[in-house]
């Protein structure tokens, strides 16, 4: 049985600076008029417990003196994120794996996904960039009752693939904590293109990462 590489999506497979992160900024600006920096958003992510970007947007509004109902935050976020026909901010995402990445790794590994996205969001990106890659199982926020850092999603994958060795690839402390709680080796991503890669690298190492990479394509050489 092939071992199973489980991928997070945001910041690992998809570059989301201009999609999810910008949607947070624009949502907070809409409700409060305040300008939220990427570093402020990352600060929350680094603390852990903020995997839900709708909740984070609501909290950032609260930080700027406005108590906005969760549903109102979610509705506005989704409106600018999806646009009229998936032509909103989600259209700005970039696919990070290079050509041939999955074909080469697929000779030795099977693939799965454990993401905080809901299934609709995940499928839009996967169908656009990787329609021929099999991720099985695909575990999203629609499938779990406990968000990361709970290990629930990884435990569901393990139950679906009994006997398979798992590794998890993610880019947040919540990803690392989820992997540790599930007893799954974790490989972190800390992109030098951000302004916080050194801090994130240190945090992921402290959370027990087997290795911290600059980007997902380095996984090929690490797993040889």
């Amino acid at each position: 049985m092939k071992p199973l590489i489980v991928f997070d999506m945001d910041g690992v497979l998809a570059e989301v600076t201009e999609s999810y992160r910008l949607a947070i900024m624009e949502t907070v600006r809409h409700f409060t008029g305040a300008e939220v920096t990427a570093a402020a958003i990352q600060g929350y992510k680094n603390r852990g417990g903020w995997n839900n970007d709708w909740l984070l947007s609501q909290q950032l509004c609260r930080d700027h003196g406005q108590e906005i109902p969760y549903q109102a935050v979610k509705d506005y976020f989704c409106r600018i994120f999806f646009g009229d026909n998936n032509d909103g901010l989600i259209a700005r995402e970039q696919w990070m794996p290079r050509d041939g990445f999955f074909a080469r790794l697929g000779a030795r590994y099977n693939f799965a996904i454990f993401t905080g996205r809901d299934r609709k969001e995940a499928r839009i990106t996967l169908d656009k960039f990787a329609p021929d890659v099999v991720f099985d199982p695909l575990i999203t926020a629609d499938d779990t009752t406990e968000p990361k850092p709970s290990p629930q999603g990884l435990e569901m994958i393990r139950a679906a693939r009994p006997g398979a060795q798992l590794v998890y690839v993610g880019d947040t402390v919540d990803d690392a904590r989820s992997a540790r709680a599930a007893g799954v080796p974790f490989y972190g991503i800390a992109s030098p293109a951000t302004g916080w890669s050194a801090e994130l690298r240190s945090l992921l190492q402290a959370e027990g990462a087997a290795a911290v990479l600059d980007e997902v394509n380095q996984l090929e050489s690490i797993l040889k």
Side-chain angles (χ1 to χ4, degrees):
M1 178 181 293
K2 291 181 182 179
L4 190 65
I5 303 175
V6 184
F7 294 94
D8 178 43
M9 286 191 66
D10 302 346
V12 176
L13 298 179
E15 210 292 315
V16 296
T17 302
E18 292 292 312
S19 60
Y20 282 99
R21 296 298 175 98
L22 185 56
I24 295 172
M25 296 177 188
E26 293 294 338
T27 298
V28 176
R29 181 186 295 117
H30 172 76
F31 286 110
T32 72
E35 300 291 335
V36 175
T37 66
I41 294 171
Q42 188 63 33
Y44 270 96
K45 298 287 187 180
N46 286 350
R47 295 177 212 172
W50 293 100
N51 197 52
N52 183 322
D53 287 345
W54 301 328
L55 281 175
L56 178 52
S57 299
Q58 183 188 39
Q59 180 59 47
L60 287 165
C61 288
R62 189 177 293 125
D63 290 348
H64 289 88
Q66 299 293 327
E67 187 63 46
I68 310 299
Y70 177 75
Q71 192 61 48
V73 170
K74 179 179 176 180
D75 288 347
Y76 184 79
F77 187 109
C78 289
R79 186 158 70 247
I80 62 174
F81 184 77
F82 292 113
D84 294 326
N85 187 27
N86 299 331
D87 59 355
L89 296 178
I90 194 171
R92 301 189 186 186
E93 290 183 344
Q94 299 178 32
W95 192 242
M96 300 175 78
R98 299 191 189 105
D99 290 346
F101 173 83
F102 288 108
R104 291 187 296 272
L105 277 179
R108 295 180 288 129
Y109 295 91
N110 290 324
F111 309 123
I113 283 177
F114 172 35
T115 177
R117 295 188 184 205
D118 64 27
R119 189 164 293 272
K120 175 185 176 181
E121 295 165 354
R123 284 265 49 111
I124 290 170
T125 297
L126 294 175
D127 290 347
K128 177 180 180 180
F129 292 109
D132 298 324
V133 180
V134 176
F135 297 99
D136 184 26
L138 166 60
I139 300 297
T140 72
D142 294 329
D143 304 301
T144 59
T145 58
E146 301 172 5
K148 301 174 192 178
S150 167
Q152 184 185 37
L154 290 173
E155 290 169 347
M156 292 170 68
I157 292 172
R158 178 185 282 136
R161 295 290 177 269
Q165 294 181 334
L166 273 59
V167 300
Y168 189 36
V169 186
D171 72 321
T172 67
V173 294
D174 281 342
D175 293 332
R177 290 169 182 172
S178 178
R180 188 172 70 240
V184 172
F186 177 73
Y187 292 86
I189 304 294
S191 171
T194 68
W196 48 79
S197 61
E199 179 184 3
L200 180 57
R201 181 178 294 272
S202 178
L203 288 169
L204 296 180
Q205 289 170 337
E207 294 291 343
V212 181
L213 316 178
D214 292 344
E215 44 101 12
V216 72
N217 293 290
Q218 293 178 343
L219 196 64
E220 283 190 80
S221 59
I222 289 292
L223 292 180
K224 283 183 178 177

